[in-house]
Amino acid sequence: IFQLEKDQKTELALLVFPWQGVHRNDFEQLLRSVRARKDRGPRLPFAMAAFHPNATLNRKNPEQAIPFFRRSPFPLIQAVRSESLEKLDPSQGEGTSFIDVDSLNLVGLAQDFRQQRKKSLRRKVTEANFQAGEKSDWKIASTIEAIHRERDQLWERLDHKVPPEWQVV
């Protein structure tokens, strides 16, 4: 990941670990240790998230659903260049907004604006994912299960066993 730092054209990298039979908590701990490296300076060039096959759906709230939305066929790390994320975050004051002046409610608009500015990009994405899951009655879960079954069948044809650490309990 630190070698990608030099290539300014790289905005997104997916680091896939297909043969690593590592439990989700251990994989997330590995990523935390990479983030904590002080020799890279005060700020890492990439924001990173761990994705893992072993994640159940918890519908209690958006935060608890994050591991489910980060479920993947193999352990992987998603790395997004921090500068790219800063450009995407509308709370940075960039971008264009359109307002229908006929239905303008300045008090409501000011309240909405303050509420949106307080939310981080991570929180906005988390809430949008959760709302999409709720709206679709969580049909995405069956799609993810189908992807994992295909992975298992492929591994079986290759005469490999899916690591037990990847099984959802």
Side-chain angles (χ1 to χ4, degrees):
I1 190 77
F2 296 113
Q3 291 185 1
L4 294 172
E5 179 178 2
K6 299 171 191 161
D7 180 5
Q8 292 297 312
K9 293 183 280 185
T10 302
E11 293 187 39
L12 171 72
L14 297 176
L15 309 169
V16 184
F17 301 86
W19 308 113
Q20 298 300 310
V22 61
H23 190 273
R24 182 169 59 97
N25 294 339
D26 296 332
F27 194 62
E28 289 174 355
Q29 179 57 43
L30 168 72
L31 186 55
R32 279 191 290 278
S33 68
V34 170
R35 284 189 197 116
R37 285 190 52 180
K38 300 295 184 202
D39 61 327
R40 303 306 300 177
R43 182 174 161 205
L44 290 173
F46 290 91
M48 295 175 282
F51 286 63
H52 195 277
N54 180 319
T56 56
L57 174 57
N58 185 333
R59 301 181 194 187
K60 286 184 182 175
N61 61 54
E63 283 296 316
Q64 292 183 341
I66 289 174
F68 172 77
F69 284 108
R70 291 185 179 169
R71 192 164 172 213
S72 59
F74 304 102
L76 70 88
I77 294 174
Q78 176 193 51
V80 181
R81 189 169 294 279
S82 299
E83 294 168 1
S84 299
L85 286 175
E86 290 165 3
K87 291 176 189 174
L88 288 175
D89 191 346
S91 69
Q92 297 295 319
E94 297 178 11
T96 303
S97 298
F98 297 95
I99 299 173
D100 178 4
V101 292
D102 294 332
S103 62
L104 188 61
N105 173 348
L106 291 177
V107 174
L109 184 63
Q111 289 172 338
D112 288 347
F113 179 74
R114 279 194 303 273
Q115 187 176 22
Q116 285 299 316
R117 267 196 78 89
K118 291 178 186 176
K119 293 182 183 177
S120 67
L121 179 59
R122 177 189 178 281
R123 178 140 181 117
K124 291 173 191 175
V125 169
T126 299
E127 289 177 359
N129 285 345
F130 190 80
Q131 288 171 3
E134 293 278 293
K135 187 176 180 179
S136 72
D137 197 28
W138 297 97
K139 290 181 181 164
I140 189 172
S142 60
T143 303
I144 291 174
E145 288 303 322
I147 291 169
H148 285 250
R149 279 191 303 277
E150 285 183 32
R151 177 211 57 204
D152 295 350
Q153 291 167 359
L154 172 64
W155 275 48
E156 192 174 299
R157 286 194 304 270
L158 294 173
D159 204 25
H160 290 290
K161 279 192 162 195
V162 175
E165 297 88 356
W166 294 4
Q167 301 302 317
V168 176
V169 231

